[in-house]
Amino acid sequence: MIIWGDLIKYIIIFILLGLAVKQDVKSFKVSNKLNLAGCLIGIFHSLLFYGIGGLWHSMLGIIIPFVMLFPLFLFGLLGAGDIKLLSAIGSFLSKRIIVVIVLSFCLAAVFGVFVILKRILTKQHSNLLNSQFTKIHMTIPIGFGTIAYLLVYII
C-alpha cells in the first residue's frame, strides 16, 4: 500500500520528468533551476516524511549520479543537465537511483539505435561520426527508466 508521502513523491517525480523532457526536446538542455528545485523539494520531502535519516538518504541519492556519471560528462558523452536531473530524482529515491541509472542507460542504447536507424533511412545525415547525428534527448530514456523502476517498485 502506498502511503501519502510516497504518493506525493511519485507525483513530484512525474512532474519533474515531464518538465525536463519538455525543456530537453525544445532546447537540448535541462535548466539548472528545474534541477535545483527538484533536489531541494526531494530533500525537503525526505526530511519531512522520513526525518534526519531521510535527509541522509536524499543526499546519498544526489551524490551517487555525480560520482557515477561525471567521467561521462568529462568525455562529452553525457550532459551536465542529465546528471543533475538524475540527482534530482535521486534526492527522492536515495541509493535506488543506481537501478534507475542502469535502466535509463539500457533504454538509451535501444532508443539511440532507433534514432540512428531513422536518420539513416530518412537520409538525415551527412556524416555518421557527426556528433549531431548521434545526439539524443537523454531525458526520454531517463523518464522511461524512472517510470519503469517506479512501476515495478510500486507493484
Side-chain angles (χ1 to χ4, degrees), residues 10 25-26 29 48 51 68 74 86 90 94 101 104 111 130 135 139 143:
Y10 301 142
V25 168
K26 185 177 178 182
K29 293 194 181 296
L48 180 66
M68 285 180 67
L74 290 177
L86 285 162
S94 187
I101 291 170
S104 298
F111 182 63
N130 181 346
K135 197 172 185 181
T139 56

Side-chain angles (χ1 to χ4, degrees), residues 32-68:
N32 288 333
K33 289 179 183 177
L34 180 64
N35 287 325
L36 179 60
C39 284
L40 293 176
I41 293 168
I43 290 168
F44 178 74
H45 174 274
S46 296
L47 189 58
L48 180 66
F49 285 98
Y50 308 107
I52 203 73
L55 177 64
W56 161 251
H57 286 285
S58 188
M59 297 307 291
L60 190 62
I62 291 171
I63 293 167
I64 287 172
F66 276 106
V67 172
M68 285 180 67

